[in-house]
Amino acid sequence: MTGSRAEGAPEVAGASELRSTPAQRHGGPTVLRIVLGTQLRRLREARGITREEAGDAIRGSHAKISRVELGRVAQKERDVADLLTLYGVSGAEERAEYLELARRASTPGWWQKYSDVMPSWLETILGLEEAAAVIRSYQVQFVPGLLQTADYARSVVSLGEARGSVREIERKVELRLRRQQLLTRPEAPKLWFVVDEAALRRPMGGRLTMRTQLRRLIEIAELPHVTLQVAPFGAGGLAAAGGPITILRFDEPDLPDIVYLEQLTSALYLDKRADVENYMMVMDQVSAAASTTEASVRFLEQLLDEYY
């Protein structure tokens, strides 16, 4: 980062350096908040300043500083400016770069236009997907959302929207399809899907819907940045039995690997090293038990014939 630095100020990565990563370019406000919060925490710790002292500087509490540093809330420019002063960051250009990062972190993501039908817990995964370098997913009941056709998605959404209006269902389908744009964008993440055979044999939306969905999976399997495997019944019990798992990895040094566990009306986000390593081991075991991509495509083609 350019600009002068007060004597004794800590050496941490600057905002201008962070903007060069794919996560910074594609991650949106979710990732930017996490990155900015991490940088502010490093500045505070390098100065030996407590959360209570930092909270006093922005007219808040240590709990507010914790939320700011974890990226759980948008960082106000005024608060960031006061914290930079407290942490001894005095260079005009350097301060401007941090404040610009705070402004970008406060900009609504594309998904905000769907806030009327989007549960609050889903917003985080949308931002993380945009920033991920690698996304690995195991799905046991349905085709992964990132790979669903519109008709298949409509059938899945309708299952959980018994009281939902046609408009609400269509808005959720539209959100799911918009989410899929990361598959074909420049600098698309590497995607590794393992789909249980049960998900492929469950007839969602009728024969025509399933034929179209299977064709889409066969087409997606040909993309160079996508690995698609089927976990056949013959593989026996799997280490991940019980529910879907998604693991996201990032090129951004300030973002840890994250495990995403979606539940019926909520989701868990795990980033502790021990938890991530455990789920990564499970995912490796599932991938090893699943069929190869070539064998998986052959299975999809055979299954497609059965739907005619």
Side-chain angles (χ1 to χ4, degrees):
M1 179 178 289
T2 58
S4 60
R5 181 185 302 275
E7 183 178 355
E11 294 287 343
V12 297
S16 61
E17 297 170 20
L18 295 172
R19 283 201 298 266
S20 65
T21 67
Q24 289 288 302
R25 291 192 291 274
H26 301 297
T30 302
V31 168
L32 296 178
R33 288 199 304 265
I34 296 173
V35 170
L36 178 57
T38 299
Q39 290 300 305
L40 292 173
R41 175 182 57 78
R42 289 177 178 172
L43 286 167
R44 178 182 61 77
E45 292 176 345
R47 278 292 191 178
I49 295 172
T50 66
R51 286 195 177 94
E52 288 76 10
E53 292 169 331
D56 290 341
I58 61 171
R59 302 151 297 280
S61 64
H62 71 281
K64 179 178 180 179
I65 289 296
S66 179
R67 291 193 296 271
V68 165
E69 292 181 349
L70 290 171
R72 302 281 173 79
V73 296
Q75 298 95 340
K76 297 179 180 178
E77 289 184 55
R78 176 186 174 185
D79 290 343
V80 173
D82 290 342
L83 289 174
L84 293 175
T85 298
L86 179 65
Y87 302 155
V89 179
S90 59
E93 290 185 35
E94 185 175 12
R95 291 175 64 90
E97 287 163 356
Y98 276 108
L99 294 174
E100 171 62 18
L101 190 56
R103 280 190 290 273
R104 293 170 58 212
S106 299
T107 302
W110 61 261
W111 47 86
Q112 290 302 318
K113 64 182 290 188
Y114 299 99
S115 59
D116 57 322
V117 295
M118 181 180 64
S120 57
W121 49 264
L122 184 63
E123 178 178 349
T124 300
I125 187 62
L126 296 180
L128 294 175
E129 282 178 347
E130 293 284 312
V134 179
I135 300 175
R136 296 184 66 179
S137 179
Y138 168 67
Q139 297 292 327
V140 63
Q141 187 171 4
F142 303 113
V143 168
L146 288 173
L147 308 182
Q148 292 177 6
T149 64
D151 286 339
Y152 186 99
R154 189 172 293 109
S155 297
V156 173
V157 170
S158 297
L159 287 176
E161 295 290 337
R163 299 180 180 178
S165 66
V166 173
R167 178 187 177 278
E168 290 173 336
I169 291 174
E170 290 305 312
R171 289 276 289 161
K172 290 190 174 184
V173 171
E174 183 181 333
L175 169 60
R176 188 160 301 189
L177 297 181
R178 171 61 180 84
R179 185 177 177 182
Q180 295 176 5
Q181 290 185 13
L182 68 83
L183 272 74
T184 54
R185 75 169 192 217
E187 297 183 312
K190 294 181 180 179
L191 302 162
W192 189 348
F193 300 100
V194 179
V195 185
D196 197 277
E197 181 176 345
L200 300 171
R201 289 196 177 277
R202 182 170 290 106
M204 298 298 299
R207 299 177 72 84
L208 177 58
T209 295
M210 289 304 299
R211 288 201 299 268
T212 305
Q213 180 62 72
L214 290 170
R215 288 195 201 97
R216 174 155 175 77
L217 292 178
I218 293 170
E219 293 171 358
I220 288 175
E222 297 177 355
L223 296 176
H225 60 287
V226 175
T227 298
L228 179 62
Q229 295 179 273
V230 174
F233 291 145
L238 297 174
I245 299 171
T246 298
I247 302 177
L248 304 102
R249 311 199 76 172
F250 306 89
D251 289 335
E252 171 58 59
D254 288 327
L255 287 173
D257 295 344
I258 294 176
V259 175
Y260 171 69
L261 304 174
E262 186 169 324
Q263 301 172 334
L264 183 61
T265 58
S266 63
L268 295 177
Y269 295 88
L270 309 177
D271 61 5
K272 292 183 179 179
R273 183 182 296 273
D275 290 333
V276 174
E277 289 180 349
N278 182 51
Y279 276 97
M280 187 65 74
M281 181 177 64
V282 168
M283 190 71 81
D284 287 341
Q285 292 173 348
V286 168
S287 299
S291 301
T292 64
T293 296
E294 293 76 12
S296 296
V297 170
R298 289 196 297 272
F299 172 82
L300 292 171
E301 291 171 340
Q302 293 168 1
L303 190 57
L304 181 59
D305 290 338
E306 294 180 20
Y307 277 104
Y308 277 96

